[in-house]
Amino acid sequence: MKLSSIILTVFALATTGIATKTCTPSFDYCSDVLIKDKGFTEADLKDVLKGSDLEDEDVENVLFHCKNPGDVGHPKLCTSGCKDPATEGSHSCSGS
């Protein structure tokens, strides 16, 4: 494969978001961290909520579980908001 083909393929993956979504499996994340630091979009997170009882909730009030790098699910409602830890690790709902 030519170098130009490799570069074009990598660029295409990066611009479509396929290569940029990442999270640590078994960790929980607040939406702001997933959007700012982990390559997810608000639309990605809203897609996770589709069909669930949290579909109409604001993603800022939801804790997402990383199932695999780049794959989140198992949303949990944080009625008092989501709390970001000072270092990388599992997040939690405020007041829990």
Side-chain angles (χ1 to χ4, degrees), residues 4-95:
S4 60
S5 296
I6 294 170
I7 292 171
L8 184 59
T9 301
V10 170
F11 178 77
L13 290 173
T15 58
T16 60
I18 294 171
T20 59
K21 293 178 194 172
T22 184
C23 59
T24 303
S26 299
F27 279 12
D28 295 322
Y29 292 93
C30 299
S31 62
D32 63 329
V33 172
L34 289 170
I35 293 169
K36 284 189 260 177
D37 300 334
K38 302 298 180 184
F40 289 83
T41 65
E42 187 171 342
D44 293 330
L45 302 180
K46 286 184 178 193
D47 283 345
V48 171
L49 300 180
K50 283 183 182 171
S52 76
D53 58 339
L54 301 178
E55 186 169 5
D56 296 325
E57 291 293 333
D58 185 336
V59 295
E60 291 182 8
N61 296 326
V62 177
L63 186 66
F64 295 88
H65 184 75
C66 183
K67 302 183 293 182
N68 292 304
D71 183 23
V72 294
H74 311 297
K76 175 183 175 184
L77 180 63
C78 292
T79 55
S80 299
C82 205
K83 181 181 180 185
D84 294 321
T87 59
E88 178 75 18
S90 288
H91 296 58
S92 62
C93 292
S94 296

